[in-house]
Amino acid sequence: MIGAALVLPTALALPAAGLLLTVPGRRAPHRLTGAAAGVVALLTGGALLAATLDGAVPAQDVGGWAGHGIVFAADVLSALMVCVSAVLVLAGLAMAAATGEDADPRFVPLVLLLSAGMYGALLTADLFNLFVFVEVMLVPSYALLVMGGGARRVAAGRVYVTVNLFASTTLLAGIGLLYAVTGSVNLGELAGAARHSGAAAAAGAVVLLALAVKTAVVPLHGWLPRSYPCAPPAVTVLFSGLLTKIGLYAIIRIYAVVFAGAPEVRWVIMTAALLTMVIGVLGAVGEDTMRSILVFHMVSQIGYILLGLALFTAFGLAAAIFYLAQYILVKAALLACAGAVETTRGTGRLGALGGVASADPLLATTFMLAALSLAGLPPLSGFVAKLSLVRAAVPAGEHLAAATAVAVSLITLTSMIKIWSGVFRGTPPPGSAPPRGRLALTAPALALAVPSLVLGAGAQPLLTVAGAAAAGLVDTSAYVRAVTP
């Protein structure tokens, strides 16, 4: 029964997307179908999480033509990511309903297609099918990015498409090289291949390089701040926790299984982590719109997760997974706040705003909650996540990494204060009276931000889940046995 559930999120979202294309112009069926698909995915992810916490790895071979099928499998990490991603999809759909972005009859079907690819990428145990599902995600993302038109979005779309096509081509080439060297693309059969074969390590490095581009790891990050701030507000919320995070998930999975946590590679990951943290946060300092600042911070926060991966200890990985789960929600909450401001005020530029807190205290409170969590202040989840990473880095002798993590947090706090001062404090510019807030616009951001307070005050359940996920990465034997044909 649980094996069949592995394919349910993808198998449901794909036909639902096709079905909605037959009823254009009817927003109610679109919204209900999108919400239903998201709820089913969330419940499925919860069931998979409950089934894997004891170390079990359910797997399902789908197809099986000529002895070859698509292997779906779930461990704690993939099940947790399905749950978090489903929550984000639901919040993104709610945001789109509030901003009116879902008035386009293509919006919900495209989001469903995007989510189908995402769930498939999280649950597949085959590198070629990982590539296929990532492309299933990317095709609708091209359309979502430029939805609504305008020269700025089209220009951003060109950058986005060009970079991702290059990364996809590189990813496919790397997977092809791995197949040529090892004769397989199944993760179970590739377990430890890069530790035992220089050719396999080189091929695996090509795969990781392509995924680093898709994840926006410095110095391969330039496309992200040139494209995401130009997307419609609800689309940016969706993209923030789905597209780059799939690349990050795949990097973690491949490094743990194919490279078996090879210590020879850790210095590369650590260097990328520190550069990503520092350059991302410094890029945010020079920006003057809410979304552009937050998007640069998206780059910076990826570095924290790579820091935990570079440590590759049970404690470091658990801290990175905890960080990843809570950060997806916190960042989406901040971008939802920015979208609410842009929708009601017509701009997100700091110099053209002011006094939003007095006109919309609930939105201001929501932003403050998420902003302080991103900066890592107690008693919020961001504090627990960053403290856990620092506590994992110091015993491992990575004092520079620990100091960098603390310093970047302080600069992040400065950026959040900059947004607060330019947008929420003070009075509106002369001649403008900010409209009162709309609850429908604030509700998605609030729903995404409140878990940060809950997970800060009561972090132990998620820390336990993250610890179980980390144990499955340090010792991949159960996963390998489950997915090997």
Side-chain angles (χ1 to χ4, degrees):
M1 181 64 179
I2 198 67
L6 291 167
V7 301
L8 183 60
T10 298
L12 179 64
L14 284 173
L19 179 64
L20 290 183
L21 292 175
T22 65
V23 285
R26 308 268 316 265
R27 295 174 76 174
H30 283 226
R31 289 175 176 176
L32 288 173
T33 303
V39 169
V40 169
L42 178 58
L43 294 175
T44 303
L48 292 173
L49 189 59
T52 55
L53 279 175
D54 62 353
V57 181
Q60 181 77 23
D61 192 339
V62 179
W65 178 80
H68 299 281
I70 302 174
V71 179
F72 284 78
D75 62 357
V76 180
L77 176 59
S78 54
L80 176 63
M81 287 294 292
V82 168
C83 291
V84 175
S85 300
V87 169
L88 189 60
V89 169
L90 289 169
L93 290 171
M95 183 74 184
T99 60
E101 292 169 52
D102 66 352
D104 189 317
R106 298 166 297 176
F107 183 87
V108 174
L110 287 171
V111 171
L112 287 173
L113 187 59
L114 176 75
S115 66
M118 172 192 64
Y119 299 132
L122 290 171
L123 294 171
T124 187
D126 180 285
L127 287 184
F128 179 74
N129 291 302
L130 171 69
F131 165 78
V132 171
F133 283 124
V134 168
E135 294 310 299
V136 169
M137 290 182 68
L138 286 175
V139 170
S141 74
Y142 300 149
L144 288 168
L145 178 63
V146 300
M147 190 166 284
R152 186 165 175 259
R153 283 182 185 167
V154 172
R158 284 199 296 268
V159 173
Y160 180 83
V161 170
T162 301
V163 172
N164 276 282
L165 284 177
F166 169 77
S168 294
T169 303
T170 306
L171 176 60
L172 184 59
I175 293 171
L177 288 171
L178 261 179
Y179 181 78
V181 170
T182 65
S184 178
V185 289
N186 176 275
L187 282 173
E189 296 179 331
L190 290 173
R195 294 289 297 272
H196 306 120
S197 166
V206 175
V207 174
L208 292 180
L209 177 65
L211 292 170
V213 175
K214 291 181 177 292
T215 308
V217 176
V218 171
L220 308 170
H221 68 293
W223 63 272
L224 188 71
R226 294 180 63 187
S227 56
Y228 277 27
C230 303
V235 173
T236 305
V237 170
L238 287 166
F239 282 13
S240 69
L242 302 183
L243 295 176
T244 55
K245 304 312 174 293
I246 287 296
L248 191 56
Y249 164 83
I251 289 173
I252 295 171
R253 178 71 70 195
I254 291 169
Y255 180 64
V257 177
V258 181
F259 285 81
E264 301 86 357
V265 184
R266 292 181 195 172
W267 70 270
V268 179
I269 301 176
M270 181 62 76
T271 302
L274 299 183
L275 287 174
T276 301
M277 280 193 283
V278 173
I279 293 178
V281 78
L282 292 180
V285 171
E287 296 297 321
D288 62 352
T289 68
M290 290 185 72
R291 277 204 282 173
S292 58
I293 292 172
L294 294 173
V295 167
F296 263 110
H297 279 301
M298 189 187 306
V299 175
S300 179
Q301 302 304 308
I302 289 168
Y304 282 91
I305 301 160
L306 290 176
L307 168 59
L309 179 64
L311 297 173
F312 209 78
T313 60
F315 192 14
L317 287 169
I321 293 165
F322 182 96
Y323 195 104
L324 175 60
Q326 64 85 34
Y327 155 69
I328 288 175
L329 302 181
V330 168
K331 175 57 69 175
L334 288 169
L335 288 167
C337 288
V341 170
E342 290 182 27
T343 300
T344 55
R345 276 81 184 173
T347 181
R349 192 166 299 281
L350 272 55
L353 292 164
V356 173
S358 59
D360 195 348
L362 182 59
L363 179 63
T365 302
T366 301
F367 175 84
M368 180 62 72
L369 184 65
L372 294 179
S373 182
L374 188 73
L377 269 65
L380 302 168
S381 62
F383 171 75
V384 178
K386 291 186 177 181
L387 178 63
S388 298
L389 280 172
V390 170
R391 290 180 60 195
V394 171
E398 297 290 349
H399 301 288
L400 175 61
T404 301
V406 174
V408 169
S409 292
L410 294 175
I411 301 175
T412 301
L413 178 59
T414 302
S415 297
M416 296 301 104
I417 294 173
K418 176 181 176 180
I419 294 177
W420 179 263
S421 300
V423 176
F424 294 95
R425 284 190 60 193
T427 58
S432 66
R436 298 194 63 82
R438 289 161 45 193
L439 181 59
L441 276 172
T442 306
L446 183 61
L448 291 166
V450 166
S452 180
L453 183 59
V454 175
L455 293 174
Q460 192 54 52
L462 182 56
L463 284 173
T464 300
V465 171
L473 293 172
V474 172
D475 179 7
T476 60
S477 56
Y479 184 85
V480 169
R481 285 195 303 270
V483 305
T484 302

